[in-house]
Amino acid sequence: MSLAYTEITLGGRNRKVRYAIRDLRDLERVLAKPLGDAVADMTRLGAEPLSIFLWAGLKHEDRGLTIEKTLDLIQEHVDAGGEISDVRQAVNDALVLSGYFGQKAKAEVETARGANPPTAAATVPSPSTSGG
């Protein structure tokens, strides 16, 4: 079974943002904190956590991708008229689809995606309040 993902156009191409368990572990290592704390940082709109989350979700497609190159992709997206909220939403959806926040949250995103693929509105639940 392949991992669920969400798509975003960055650097002139569609990219699949997804998180396997190793990607989540890499996030924790780079940010030096548990994933729940890192998610809280991202929701505070920090550029560093957002770029690291995006890097971890894209590195499966490009093993040479760095956090600095990821920042460049985000900036190019904004310069081309996109919004940082687009990036945050793609990361958010991919995190929920990873299953880390439980099956209920994942099912909600999958249902929303059915109506509006490949990305859909979702809110990353707090790990302490998730049901699964």
Side-chain angles (χ1 to χ4, degrees):
M1 183 169 95
S2 63
L3 291 171
Y5 63 88
T6 191
E7 291 184 342
I8 186 167
T9 301
L10 295 169
R13 65 180 250 237
N14 282 345
R15 296 175 187 265
K16 295 177 181 175
V17 183
R18 63 108 168 123
Y19 297 97
I21 192 69
R22 282 183 170 79
D23 302 319
L24 298 174
R25 184 226 28 219
D26 291 348
L27 276 168
E28 291 181 334
R29 284 183 177 176
V30 170
L31 291 169
K33 59 180 70 177
L35 186 59
D37 292 345
V39 168
D41 286 349
M42 188 185 72
T43 62
R44 290 185 197 105
L45 307 178
E48 181 174 35
L50 179 60
S51 63
I52 293 170
F53 269 87
L54 184 60
W55 162 79
L58 292 177
K59 64 188 180 67
H60 68 98
E61 289 188 336
D62 180 356
R63 293 289 174 197
L65 187 65
T66 64
I67 295 166
E68 290 300 313
K69 287 180 185 176
T70 304
L71 280 165
D72 292 341
L73 289 173
I74 295 169
Q75 187 61 56
E76 289 170 15
H77 178 71
V78 171
D79 290 346
E83 297 182 12
I84 289 180
S85 63
D86 303 333
V87 177
R88 197 170 44 255
Q89 189 65 55
V91 166
N92 186 49
D93 288 354
L95 279 170
V96 173
L97 290 170
S98 75
Y100 177 82
F101 297 100
Q103 293 304 308
K104 181 179 176 186
K106 182 177 178 182
E108 288 172 2
V109 170
E110 288 172 337
T111 298
R113 282 171 52 122
N116 199 9
T119 59
T123 302
V124 174
S126 166
S128 62
T129 62
S130 67

